[in-house]
Amino acid sequence: MTDKPNQTPESNEPPDKAAHETASHAATSPFDNPTGEFPPVRPESGKQVPRTDDELGLEPEVPAAGAAGAAGPGESDEPTYAFATIPPAPAATAENGRKRRRDTRRGTLDLGLLGLRLILGLTFLYHGVQKLAGWFHGPGLDGTRHMLEQGGWKHIELSTAMLTISEVGGGALVLLGLATPPAAGALLASIADAWLWKQGMDPGFQYKTTELEAILAGLAAALILTGPGRLSFDRNRGWSTRPAWGSFVVLVLAIAAAVGGWLVLHGGNPFVGTID
C-alpha cells in the first residue's frame, strides 16, 4: 500500500458556483450604510440582519385619524379616535337630546335679594341707632337699660350691649352684603329673643303682638339660606350665589344662640307668661 498525502475531498459543485456563494455572503445591503459615514455592521456567523419591523420588535404603524370632509358617501365626517383605547365621554345632553349648556343667568334674583337686604338691614339699623344714640326719637342707652330691666332681663349691661351691637352691626353688614351669614344670624338671634319676650307678656300663644318679630325672623332665616346675591360685597364668596350646608349650620347656630341667650339672660317659659 502506498501512502498518499491527505487531500480535501473535492466538492461536487462547480468552482464558479462556490465562489459566487462566498461573494454573496460577503455582500451587504445598501441599507446597512445609508449615509456612508459609518462602516456597515457585519452580522455574526449564522445570523441574519433584521430587515422588517416585526424582526426589529417595532409596533406596526397606527393609521391616522380621518380628516374632516374626506369621508366617502354615506360615511360620517366626524373625526375618529384611532389612538385612544377609551373613547372620550359624550357631551351632556338634556332630555330632548340637545346639548346641555350651563346657565349662568340669574334674571332678577340678585335684585330681589338686594331688596330683601335693604328691608331687613334698614329696619334693624333704624331700631339699633334708636337704642344706641337715641336717634329717631329713640330711648338711647339709658332708656334701653331701663326697658330691659322692667322686662325681666338679667345682666342689664351685657343684655344692652348684645342687643345694640347685634342690631346696629348686623343691620349695617346685611345692608352692605358683607359677612352676610353671621350678620343675618346675629339678627335672627336677637329678634328671636324679642319674639320670646313678647310671647311672655301674656299667657298662651300670641301672634298679633309678635307679628313684626315673626316676619323679621323669617326674613333673616331666608337670607341665611339664600345668600346676599351678586349685588353685595360678598359677591365673590360661595355663599353669595350658591349657599350650601354651611348656611344651614349658621341657621342652626343662630337658633341655638337665641335659645341660650334667653335661658341665660331672661329665663322662664314664655308661653305661660313671664312678665308680671
Side-chain angles (χ1 to χ4, degrees):
M1 177 179 292
T2 305
D3 293 332
K4 294 182 180 180
N6 294 333
Q7 295 180 357
T8 305
E10 296 181 358
S11 173
N12 295 331
E13 297 178 356
D16 54 338
K17 185 176 181 181
H20 177 71
E21 289 180 356
T22 305
S24 63
H25 263 296
T28 58
S29 170
F31 295 99
D32 293 334
N33 190 16
T35 60
E37 296 178 1
F38 300 95
V41 179
R42 302 294 183 183
E44 298 180 4
S45 177
K47 296 184 179 180
Q48 295 182 353
V49 178
R51 302 297 182 189
T52 64
D53 291 341
D54 293 334
E55 294 176 357
L56 292 173
L58 300 179
E59 296 182 358
E61 296 183 0
V62 183
E75 298 180 359
S76 172
D77 10 353
E78 294 183 358
T80 59
Y81 300 90
F83 295 94
T85 57
I86 301 177
T93 55
E95 296 180 357
N96 55 6
R98 297 181 180 178
K99 289 185 177 180
R100 184 181 301 168
R101 185 181 63 181
R102 184 179 179 182
D103 192 1
T104 57
R105 299 171 298 176
R106 289 172 61 86
T108 59
L109 179 59
D110 296 313
L111 187 61
L113 291 174
L114 174 61
L116 173 62
R117 286 180 13 241
L118 289 175
I119 295 173
L120 192 64
L122 287 175
T123 301
F124 276 94
L125 191 59
Y126 172 81
H127 288 285
V129 296
Q130 279 187 320
K131 298 177 178 67
L132 178 65
W135 295 354
F136 309 113
H137 310 286
L141 285 177
D142 293 335
T144 302
R145 293 189 191 98
H146 180 72
M147 176 185 65
L148 293 177
E149 187 176 6
Q150 294 296 319
W153 291 87
K154 309 169 186 176
H155 311 289
I156 300 302
E157 295 297 332
L158 178 61
S159 300
T160 304
M162 292 182 63
L163 179 60
T164 54
I165 290 174
S166 62
E167 289 188 350
V168 175
L173 290 176
V174 165
L175 188 62
L176 298 174
L178 181 62
T180 307
L187 297 183
L188 176 59
S190 64
I191 201 62
D193 280 340
W195 182 84
L196 292 172
W197 183 32
K198 284 194 174 181
Q199 281 289 331
M201 290 181 177
D202 293 304
F205 179 78
Q206 308 292 325
Y207 183 76
K208 185 176 181 180
T209 57
T210 61
E211 185 175 1
L212 176 61
E213 286 76 16
I215 293 174
L216 292 176
L219 292 179
L223 184 61
I224 293 173
L225 296 177
T226 59
R230 293 177 178 173
L231 301 178
S232 64
F233 283 94
D234 284 338
R235 58 183 174 272
N236 295 325
R237 303 289 184 180
W239 63 66
S240 64
T241 56
R242 299 181 64 86
W245 61 269
S247 297
F248 181 76
V249 171
V250 172
L251 177 64
V252 173
L253 291 177
I255 296 174
V259 175
W262 171 261
L263 295 177
V264 172
L265 300 177
H266 195 284
N269 186 354
F271 299 103
V272 298
T274 58
I275 299 177
D276 297 333

